[in-house]
Amino acid sequence: MPREVADAEGIRWSCIQAFAGLGKDAEKTEAARVEGAGNRFHVVCTPSGGAKSVRVELPGHWEKGLSDEELLRAIQDQLARDGA
């Protein structure tokens, strides 16, 4: 299930775990897991307006246990690394 957050500029980010659209079986969950990083998963966040999506690495509890501020910080940090 996607999670949405809005940043200070009013951009709404829709985030979903990578491969989530392929089903809930264990193989798909493992495909999204960050290799060698324990309980961390690849999550794709797409901004409103269709600009460039970013892929972030988040802890397994990101959907409910990560604050909006922490999620937005992860997005902004990745944008900075990508040179956006």
Side-chain angles (χ1 to χ4, degrees):
M1 166 179 284
R3 176 172 168 193
E4 290 193 0
V5 293
D7 65 19
E9 287 82 39
I11 297 171
R12 295 201 58 77
W13 291 88
S14 179
C15 300
I16 191 162
Q17 188 166 301
F19 305 107
L22 300 177
K24 285 276 189 193
D25 65 49
E27 184 177 315
K28 303 307 185 282
T29 299
E30 281 306 307
R33 188 178 299 276
V34 176
E35 188 173 329
N39 191 32
R40 293 186 67 78
F41 292 86
H42 292 284
V43 175
V44 177
C45 297
T46 304
S48 55
K52 183 180 179 236
S53 295
V54 296
R55 181 179 282 218
V56 294
E57 295 178 7
L58 299 174
H61 69 281
W62 73 273
E63 291 173 295
K64 295 185 179 171
L66 201 66
S67 71
D68 288 355
E69 293 77 18
E70 291 169 313
L71 180 52
L72 287 167
R73 190 174 321 114
I75 292 168
Q76 294 304 320
D77 289 349
Q78 188 60 50
L79 286 171
R81 283 191 291 278
D82 291 348

